[in-house]
Amino acid sequence: MILPFPNLRPFPGSARKSIPPQEALLWKIERTLWGGRLSEARASTAADAVFILPDQSCPLRGVDIWTGWLQASDWSSVSLLDRIFTRSGGTILLAYRVSANQADSAIFEALCMSSFHLREGDWLRVSHQQTLLV
């Protein structure tokens, strides 16, 4: 088999058995957007964060984030799948596919990405985007 990038090799799925503590912490913080308390999600999100959500006609910032999608989301089950964690200096990107549902509604599936920035010793979400899978 010829790979298009000879220095890259397939990563065996069994080679990575545990998640480093910092990565686990960021996934836990990200999970608060989907199933945590609103206060936890707000505490981990920068005041100047920007969210792009599929049911909105423009990017959301500040209080618009919390009065819109987050308060209306009452997810009964959520799975974060196909997760990717990337760090470059004081910035971390989380990319994943979400599968979630609410009582009496269709399953919500989207590709998502959140970025976190290290500010005064804390990781704060500075952006979040969802792209619906249809």
Side-chain angles (χ1 to χ4, degrees), residues 91-111:
T91 301
I92 288 179
L93 296 177
L94 301 180
Y96 57 96
R97 179 173 54 93
V98 67
S99 180
N101 68 337
Q102 298 172 323
D104 301 327
S105 69
I107 293 175
F108 175 83
E109 290 189 300
L111 293 178

Side-chain angles (χ1 to χ4, degrees), residues 42-82:
R42 284 186 81 158
S44 62
T45 302
D48 58 348
V50 175
F51 279 34
I52 297 175
L53 304 173
D55 62 343
Q56 301 294 317
S57 60
C58 62
L60 302 176
R61 176 175 254 168
V63 72
D64 292 336
I65 294 169
W66 311 113
T67 57
W69 176 71
L70 288 176
Q71 287 183 340
S73 63
D74 184 22
W75 304 106
S76 58
S77 91
V78 176
S79 295
L80 306 183
L81 309 162
D82 304 326

Side-chain angles (χ1 to χ4, degrees), residues 4-6 8 19-20 25 32 36 49 56 59 64 67 77 104 112 127-128:
F5 302 99
L8 297 178
I19 296 175
L25 171 67
T32 65
Q56 301 294 317
D64 292 336
T67 57
S77 91
D104 301 327
C112 302
S127 70
H128 178 76

Side-chain angles (χ1 to χ4, degrees), residues 2-50:
I2 298 174
L3 296 173
F5 302 99
N7 293 335
L8 297 178
R9 297 285 178 236
F11 189 79
S14 61
R16 187 171 172 195
K17 295 185 180 187
S18 65
I19 296 175
Q22 186 175 55
E23 182 177 346
L25 171 67
L26 270 289
W27 284 115
K28 181 179 177 183
I29 291 171
E30 184 68 5
R31 186 74 170 71
T32 65
L33 275 179
W34 296 97
R37 294 188 309 264
L38 180 60
S39 61
E40 290 175 342
R42 284 186 81 158
S44 62
T45 302
D48 58 348
V50 175

